[in-house]
Amino acid sequence: MPSFTREKIEESCLKMLNERPLNQITVKAIVEDCGINRNSFYYHFADIPTLLSEIVTEYADRLIAEYAQADSLEECLAAASQFARENKRAVLHVYRSANRDIYEQHLIRVCHDVVVAYLKTAFGEVPIAREDAEALVRFFQCELIGQILTWLESDMSYDIQSQFARMSDLRRGMVEEIIRRCRDGAADAREQEN
């Protein structure tokens, strides 16, 4: 459980990120906003990139737990884009900074974990070869990451959820067909073993 001081530092940093670019945020500004001294900041965080990484990690962990039972790709996208939608200016400030990789690394992890949860729900008890499962996770993970990065490049200028929902409508039945093919492939493999 994070300490009160740690939480206040994280809140202050996120608030500032929603107001200005990352390169304009200093430890001095954060501690003044929190009403603490610099030593308190450095007790909890080595520097601002470490603080930023902790904020994104904590949020990513909450999202992964919240969407552990994702039952559609739309839910996966909602999970992966939620932090950006709720903190638009902050995310764009980080995305345009030298510390962009901090956000991207956690985006990759969130996309992976929610896709794995979704595929477990979608496939249920359907047997699937390990290679197929790995390929499907990579495919859907890359789709989500690509959608979100393209959206970020456009400064989040469109409704990503409605666009993704439309794409899901256009490809309705694709996941069911993938499941059928995996099931058939597993049956064929069992027959060849016998």
Side-chain angles (χ1 to χ4, degrees):
M1 179 67 123
S3 75
F4 176 77
T5 302
R6 182 182 179 92
E7 288 176 5
K8 295 304 278 180
I9 293 169
E10 290 176 358
E11 288 172 13
S12 178
C13 181
L14 192 55
K15 178 183 83 170
M16 288 182 189
L17 271 172
N18 276 300
E19 298 169 352
R20 59 187 122 166
L22 183 59
N23 65 359
Q24 294 178 9
I25 298 173
T26 63
V27 171
K28 180 180 179 188
I30 292 171
V31 298
E32 286 176 0
D33 186 63
C34 293
I36 62 172
N37 62 41
R38 291 176 72 86
N39 289 340
S40 294
F41 177 93
Y42 289 114
Y43 175 79
H44 294 285
F45 305 100
D47 51 23
I48 290 178
T50 304
L51 166 59
L52 183 60
S53 182
E54 286 295 317
I55 291 169
V56 176
T57 298
E58 289 171 12
Y59 206 92
D61 290 345
R62 283 194 303 263
L63 287 175
I64 290 166
E66 182 180 337
Y67 288 90
Q69 300 296 318
D71 63 0
S72 71
L73 286 172
E74 292 88 348
E75 270 192 67
C76 293
L77 183 77
S81 65
Q82 184 174 332
F83 182 75
R85 286 181 285 119
E86 292 175 357
N87 298 282
K88 181 178 180 175
R89 292 189 70 200
V91 168
L92 288 174
H93 286 146
V94 172
Y95 187 72
R96 294 181 188 128
S97 77
N99 298 98
R100 172 183 186 161
D101 63 316
I102 292 171
Y103 178 75
E104 289 176 344
Q105 289 168 3
H106 294 289
L107 176 63
I108 290 167
R109 185 171 68 93
V110 168
C111 288
H112 176 271
D113 289 358
V114 296
V115 165
V116 167
Y118 162 66
L119 290 175
K120 284 180 183 175
T121 301
F123 277 79
E125 298 299 319
V126 174
I128 182 171
R130 184 179 55 79
E131 303 83 32
D132 290 345
E134 290 171 358
L136 287 169
V137 168
R138 277 192 302 274
F139 176 79
F140 289 123
Q141 177 186 11
C142 289
E143 180 179 11
L144 296 178
I145 292 166
Q147 290 282 346
I148 293 169
L149 292 179
T150 301
W151 177 58
L152 289 172
E153 283 296 322
S154 78
D155 292 333
M156 300 184 212
S157 63
Y158 56 90
D159 181 355
I160 190 171
Q161 281 299 137
S162 65
Q163 183 179 21
F164 197 77
R166 178 62 182 143
M167 283 304 304
S168 295
D169 286 343
L170 292 172
R171 66 175 185 204
R172 189 161 316 285
M174 185 178 113
V175 173
E176 292 78 7
E177 179 63 17
I178 290 171
I179 292 170
R180 185 191 64 75
R181 290 180 183 191
C182 288
R183 183 178 47 241
D184 293 351
D188 291 344
R190 281 192 304 274
E191 285 178 20
Q192 289 177 358
E193 289 175 2
N194 294 332

